[in-house]
Amino acid sequence: MKFQLLLGNLFSEIKGRHWWIGILIWFVLLAPAQASVILRVAIEREVKQVKVGASTTAIVKDSSGKILGELPGMSAFAAQAVPGGVALDRWQSGLFWIEPTNKGYVYIGDRWFRGRTLVVPTANGLTAVNWVDLEEYLYSVIGGEMNTSWPQEALNAQAIAARTYALYERERQRRNPLYDLGDSPDRWQIYKGVSSEAPKTYIAADTTAGKVLTYNNKIILSVFHACSGGHTENVEDVWTSKEPYLRAVPDFDQNIKECNWVKTFTPGEISARISGVGNVKDMIIETLSPFKSVKSLKIIGDKGTKILQGEEVRTALRIKSTRFIVNKDANGGFVIQGLGFGHGLGMSQWGAYELAKRGANHLQILGYYYKGVALTPIQAK
C-alpha cells in the first residue's frame, strides 16, 4: 500500500563472442521453480586467475552441466584463463560451476560467500560470479552498509532500500548476460560476504523479506548515502535525471562528527586530478543548490579553465561531498571544509540512525526520504 507516513514531531554480436550465453540460459531454464530471487554478483572481474573453493565438499560442473568431480572442503584452488576457457585443478572447460554441499559457503578471491560460484572466461581474463539468493545477499549488504550496532529500525530501513536498489540494478542490467551487479560501493553496494553478517542483519532482512519500494508500480532507484550534512538534495541538482521521489528534505545528521571534514590540496594535487588546466591558480564556486551544495566549480589554471558540474565535483576531487566552502592557505594551497558524505540523494544512513533513535520505525524513515513511494511485494517474473 502507498505510504505517506506521519513522523509526529519528526520532520514531517553476441553468439560468436559469448558462446556461453546459451549455456547460462539453459541453466536458468533447468533451475527448479522457486519464489526466491537469485542475484548474480560479480566478485572478481577480468582477472587472469582467481582463487576458488568451498567450506564443504563442492561439486564441480562443466559448461554442459556434467559433473566433473569434487573439490575438498577448506581448500583453495586457482582458476586460470586458458585458450578456449578455464583451467581448474585437473580440469579444463569452457566455464565452471562450483556448488558446495550441505549448505556450505563458497570462497572467491579472499572472502566467503553464500550460494554458488560461476567462473567464466571474459574479454580480458576471468570473471567469477556469485549466484546467491537475494535475501541471503542482504544479510551481508546490510552489515556492509550500516553498523550492526545501530537501532534495528534503521537496519530494517536499510534492508528495504538495499533490496530495492539491487532489484533496480538487476532490471537495468538485463542485457548483461553475466551478472546483475558487482560488489563495490562506488557503483553498487558493499557486499563483503559472510564476514559482514550479524544477528541484527538477519532480523532486518527476514522481517522485511520480499518488500521493495515502488513509484507508479515501478521499482525505484533507492539510492542512499552516509550523511547529507543537514539537508538532502533534489536529484536534478546532483545528476541529470528527474526521479520525482528523490526530493530534498531537512535532515538530522548535521551534528554527526563523521559528517564534518576538511581536505587540503596543493595546486599540484588539484592539477593532477583535473586534466587540461595546468598549474592551478584558483578554485571558484560558481553555483550552489538551494541547500548550499556546490553545483558548479570553476578550476582556473595557467593553461586553461575547467568547470566541474554536479556529482563530477565530488568524484573528480575525490572528496566526501559537494557541500563545502573553499579557502586558500598561506602557501597558495586550497582548504576545502565540508559537511556530509556521499551524493546527498535519498536516504541518509546517519539520518536514519537519528530518526530511529527518536522512535521512528523503518516505514516512517523510508517514507520521509523517498517521497510518494509504495511498499510493495516483489512481483514474480
Side-chain angles (χ1 to χ4, degrees), residues 37 133-139 163 205-206 208-211 378:
V37 174
D133 178 87
L134 169 62
E135 303 302 331
E136 294 184 341
Y137 163 81
L138 291 173
Y139 290 163
R163 182 184 296 110
D206 293 346
T208 66
K211 299 295 193 300
I378 294 173

Side-chain angles (χ1 to χ4, degrees), residues 7-59:
L7 289 173
N9 291 326
L10 303 176
F11 274 110
S12 332
E13 221 164 309
I14 294 214
K15 288 185 180 178
R17 295 179 60 191
H18 302 298
W19 53 269
W20 39 265
I21 292 175
I23 295 169
L24 295 183
I25 294 172
W26 180 81
F27 266 95
V28 172
L29 291 176
L30 286 185
Q34 54 185 351
S36 63
V37 174
I38 300 299
L39 282 182
R40 305 170 303 162
V41 187
I43 307 301
E44 297 281 353
R45 290 179 289 157
E46 305 293 354
V47 295
K48 296 305 179 185
Q49 72 171 40
V50 57
K51 289 184 178 179
V52 294
S55 62
T56 59
T57 299
I59 306 300

Side-chain angles (χ1 to χ4, degrees), residues 317-329:
L317 294 177
R318 298 174 210 161
I319 54 179
K320 288 187 175 181
S321 75
T322 57
R323 182 164 289 137
F324 61 81
I325 58 174
V326 181
N327 291 297
K328 280 190 173 182
D329 63 21

Side-chain angles (χ1 to χ4, degrees), residues 29-293:
L29 291 176
L30 286 185
Q34 54 185 351
S36 63
V37 174
I38 300 299
L39 282 182
R40 305 170 303 162
V41 187
I43 307 301
E44 297 281 353
R45 290 179 289 157
E46 305 293 354
V47 295
K48 296 305 179 185
Q49 72 171 40
V50 57
K51 289 184 178 179
V52 294
S55 62
T56 59
T57 299
I59 306 300
V60 179
K61 297 178 181 179
D62 67 8
S63 55
S64 69
K66 176 184 175 182
I67 296 177
L68 299 177
E70 298 179 345
L71 292 179
M74 302 306 295
S75 299
F77 297 84
Q80 297 180 315
V82 296
V86 185
L88 174 63
D89 194 36
R90 58 192 181 277
W91 307 295
Q92 184 171 327
S93 178
L95 57 79
F96 286 106
W97 291 94
I98 301 168
E99 302 178 352
T101 58
N102 300 319
K103 298 182 178 180
Y105 301 134
V106 292
Y107 187 74
I108 306 174
D110 60 358
R111 291 172 288 165
W112 294 99
F113 299 90
R114 295 175 182 267
R116 56 181 175 153
T117 305
L118 172 66
V119 183
V120 176
T122 44
N124 298 305
L126 300 175
T127 294
V129 183
N130 178 210
W131 284 43
V132 60
D133 178 87
L134 169 62
E135 303 302 331
E136 294 184 341
Y137 163 81
L138 291 173
Y139 290 163
S140 171
V141 168
I142 298 164
E145 289 288 352
M146 262 191 186
N147 190 316
T148 58
S149 69
W150 283 15
Q152 188 65 54
E153 290 300 321
L155 294 167
N156 292 355
Q158 181 67 69
I160 294 174
R163 182 184 296 110
T164 304
Y165 182 83
L167 292 181
Y168 182 95
E169 282 294 296
R170 181 173 180 258
E171 182 66 23
R172 194 174 71 85
Q173 292 278 346
R174 287 182 75 88
R175 300 178 84 178
N176 186 331
L178 188 53
Y179 58 85
D180 302 313
L181 63 169
D183 64 344
S184 60
D186 55 338
R187 181 177 170 187
W188 295 289
Q189 303 184 114
I190 300 173
Y191 180 50
K192 298 179 179 180
V194 298
S195 66
S196 59
E197 295 182 5
K200 290 176 74 173
T201 71
Y202 304 146
I203 293 170
D206 293 346
T207 58
T208 66
K211 299 295 193 300
V212 293
L213 300 173
T214 61
Y215 186 91
N216 288 342
N217 298 316
K218 293 182 179 180
I219 289 177
I220 73 166
L221 175 58
S222 56
V223 288
F224 46 86
H225 56 281
C227 53
S228 70
H231 210 293
T232 69
E233 291 290 336
N234 292 315
V235 65
E236 64 270 18
D237 289 325
V238 181
W239 298 334
T240 56
S241 56
K242 295 183 179 180
E243 288 81 2
Y245 45 81
L246 294 177
R247 312 312 301 160
V249 295
D251 215 341
F252 310 89
D253 57 12
Q254 61 268 44
N255 296 320
I256 303 297
K257 64 179 181 179
E258 289 86 351
C259 300
N260 290 262
W261 54 272
V262 176
K263 182 77 173 179
T264 301
F265 293 98
T266 65
E269 288 171 333
I270 299 291
S271 299
R273 297 185 185 189
I274 310 297
S275 62
V277 298
N279 188 40
V280 172
K281 301 297 185 182
D282 207 355
M283 296 202 314
I284 300 172
I285 294 172
E286 289 212 308
T287 58
L288 296 170
S289 78
F291 311 104
K292 307 303 181 184
S293 287

